[in-house]
């Protein structure tokens, strides 16, 4: 009788097939990872474009772009466990740019949940303040996208605040991976006497005046005409990953601070840093050697920072989104960060 040969693979054939599959996976995996990274970066850029459209519509309706946040510099008192003003003259109500543009981001329901007659940290505002909105979240950020508990400082120094832990009672805000641009100097680093009105220049001994020359700061009323450097040459919004420190679109609480993640050697900054960043070099750091380019390796809590690669997406005033490399020339980054500096911006940035 003849034997029929059974169909199937020999052990050697099976091993060869497995080896071929492994090689193919090894070749395709980097491409797949690169494609996913590109998709995340594209989604982040799309978020910024939506925010840019919201800023433009807000300006069209109100006559000015929203401020980084709002506050009454004359207010004094205490509300829901928080006294005010702090050393940077942060007071009530504290609502920030992201909350102000919610109606222009198709988030009218979330906007309506806020009682603007109360401070942003009031318990009655907790529902809106903890709403998780995807337009403010970059898919590449790995430090968290859930609401977070704000930290405070208790050393009385708004220029060099310590991290005294969470507020008591706890104040929880929704997270943002995007922050406004304050320009060269940091509004949250000003002395108390010159924190009542950020439009007034503060004299600094041995250096030039401390001028807030970016488009966004507390109670700013920036108009397109006041961006004399040109909207296409001025950074409005940039990324700040939660792997560096926490940021929010909701508001600023008096005596709040921004402690960095433990792996970073930088120090906390005051509450305005919750919603803003600056490029440096702040004149208080003279001689002027500190410039916070995106993804600066020191990890300043008041710099822009992305996990998308060797730089960061930024939203320009004209609504366009650009990729700024960490290796950008420092003076070019300064020129892009001011609204009225009169600098000539190179075309290859």
């Amino acid at each position: 009788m003849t034997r029929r040969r059974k169909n199937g693979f020999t052990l050697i054939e099976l091993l060869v097939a497995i080896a071929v599959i492994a090689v193919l996976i090894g070749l395709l995996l980097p491409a797949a990872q690169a494609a996913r990274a590109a998709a995340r970066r594209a989604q982040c850029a799309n978020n910024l474009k939506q925010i840019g459209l919201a800023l433009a519509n807000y300006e069209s309706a109100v006559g000015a772009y929203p401020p980084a946040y709002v506050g009454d510099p004359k207010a004094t008192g205490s509300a829901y466990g928080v006294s005010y003003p702090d050393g940077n003259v942060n007071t009530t109500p504290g609502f920030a740019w992201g909350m102000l543009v919610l109606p222009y981001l198709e988030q009218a329901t979330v906007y309506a949940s806020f009682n603007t007659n109360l401070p942003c940290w009031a318990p009655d505002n907790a529902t809106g303040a903890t709403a998780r909105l995807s337009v403010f979240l970059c898919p590449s950020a790995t430090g968290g996208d859930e609401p977070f508990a704000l930290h405070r400082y208790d050393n009385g120094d708004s220029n060099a605040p310590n991290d005294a832990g969470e507020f008591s009672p706890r104040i929880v805000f929704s997270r943002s991976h995007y922050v406004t641009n304050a320009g060269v100097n940091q509004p949250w680093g000003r002395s108390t006497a010159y924190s009542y009105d950020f439009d007034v220049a503060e004299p600094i001994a041995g250096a030039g005046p401390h001028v807030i020359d970016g488009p966004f700061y507390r109670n700013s009323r920036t108009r397109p005409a006041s961006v004399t450097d040109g909207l296409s040459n001025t950074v409005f919004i940039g990324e700040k990953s939660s792997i560096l420190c926490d940021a929010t679109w909701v508001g600023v609480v008096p005596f709040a601070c921004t402690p960095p993640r433990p792996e970073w050697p930088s120090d906390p900054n005051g509450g305005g840093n919750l919603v803003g960043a600056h490029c440096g070099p702040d004149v208080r750091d003279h001689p002027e050697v500190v410039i916070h380019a995106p993804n600066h390796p020191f990890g300043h809590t008041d710099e822009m920072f992305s996990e998308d690669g060797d730089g960061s997406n930024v939203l320009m005033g004209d609504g366009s989104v650009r990729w700024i490399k960490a290796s950008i020339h420092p003076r070019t980054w300064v020129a892009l960060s001011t609204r009225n500096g009169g600098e000539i911006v190179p075309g290859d940035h």
Side-chain angles (χ1 to χ4, degrees), residues 84-174:
Y84 52 86
D86 60 14
N88 199 217
V89 196
N90 292 314
T91 65
T92 184
F95 291 107
W97 66 278
M99 180 273 182
L100 297 173
V101 300
L102 287 177
Y104 307 96
L105 289 169
E106 299 183 351
Q107 296 293 339
T109 301
V110 178
Y111 181 81
S113 70
F114 286 98
N115 184 343
T116 55
N117 295 315
L118 298 176
C120 62
W121 66 91
D124 285 358
N125 286 323
T127 299
T130 56
R132 184 182 179 278
L133 302 181
S134 59
V135 71
F136 294 122
L137 300 173
C138 175
S140 297
T142 62
D145 56 14
E146 297 299 322
F148 66 96
L150 273 67
H151 283 225
R152 62 188 177 88
Y153 67 92
D154 63 2
N155 63 345
D157 189 353
S158 60
N159 292 323
N162 65 327
D163 177 13
E166 297 178 2
F167 280 91
S168 181
R170 295 177 87 229
I171 298 172
V172 178
F173 279 174
S174 187

Side-chain angles (χ1 to χ4, degrees), residues 9-276:
F9 293 104
T10 67
L11 179 60
I12 293 177
E13 290 173 332
L14 184 60
L15 291 175
V16 170
I18 292 173
V20 170
I21 292 172
V23 170
L24 292 175
I25 291 175
L27 293 173
L28 294 175
L29 188 58
Q33 291 174 333
R36 286 195 294 267
R40 290 193 297 265
R41 182 168 157 181
Q43 180 58 51
C44 183
N46 184 60
N47 288 347
L48 285 170
K49 289 179 180 179
Q50 291 185 60
I51 291 171
L53 184 59
L55 293 177
N57 288 336
Y58 181 100
E59 186 278 327
S60 179
V62 178
Y65 297 110
Y69 63 107
V70 295
D72 179 2
K74 298 180 180 179
T76 60
S78 178
Y80 308 103
V82 177
S83 61
Y84 52 86
D86 60 14
N88 199 217
V89 196
N90 292 314
T91 65
T92 184
F95 291 107
W97 66 278
M99 180 273 182
L100 297 173
V101 300
L102 287 177
Y104 307 96
L105 289 169
E106 299 183 351
Q107 296 293 339
T109 301
V110 178
Y111 181 81
S113 70
F114 286 98
N115 184 343
T116 55
N117 295 315
L118 298 176
C120 62
W121 66 91
D124 285 358
N125 286 323
T127 299
T130 56
R132 184 182 179 278
L133 302 181
S134 59
V135 71
F136 294 122
L137 300 173
C138 175
S140 297
T142 62
D145 56 14
E146 297 299 322
F148 66 96
L150 273 67
H151 283 225
R152 62 188 177 88
Y153 67 92
D154 63 2
N155 63 345
D157 189 353
S158 60
N159 292 323
N162 65 327
D163 177 13
E166 297 178 2
F167 280 91
S168 181
R170 295 177 87 229
I171 298 172
V172 178
F173 279 174
S174 187
R175 198 180 299 274
S176 175
H177 295 146
Y178 308 104
V179 291
T180 57
N181 167 39
V184 173
N185 298 308
Q186 48 180 332
W188 43 90
R190 279 195 160 197
S191 66
T192 300
Y194 286 91
S195 290
Y196 290 91
D197 187 348
F198 290 149
D199 286 319
V200 176
E202 177 183 6
I204 303 295
H210 194 278
V211 178
I212 309 304
D213 51 12
F216 296 95
Y217 47 95
R218 189 184 67 219
N219 295 337
S220 61
R221 286 189 58 81
T222 301
R223 297 172 174 82
S226 61
V227 186
T228 55
D229 287 349
L231 294 175
S232 62
N233 288 326
T234 305
V235 174
F236 269 31
I237 305 287
E239 292 184 72
K240 187 159 91 170
S241 170
S242 45
I243 200 174
L244 176 64
C245 73
D246 295 324
T248 183
W249 54 265
V250 177
V252 173
V253 179
F255 293 99
C257 69
T258 57
R261 293 283 189 258
E263 58 268 28
W264 298 102
S266 56
D267 299 314
N269 278 287
N273 184 214
L274 283 167
V275 300

Side-chain angles (χ1 to χ4, degrees), residues 278-311:
H278 79 109
C279 74
D282 192 290
V283 296
R284 293 182 180 279
D285 298 323
H286 65 85
E288 298 179 356
V289 294
V290 179
I291 296 182
H292 305 169
N295 289 37
H296 189 286
F298 188 81
H300 301 274
T301 62
D302 51 6
E303 74 183 42
M304 295 179 184
F305 193 92
S306 167
E307 295 179 66
D308 283 316
D310 62 344

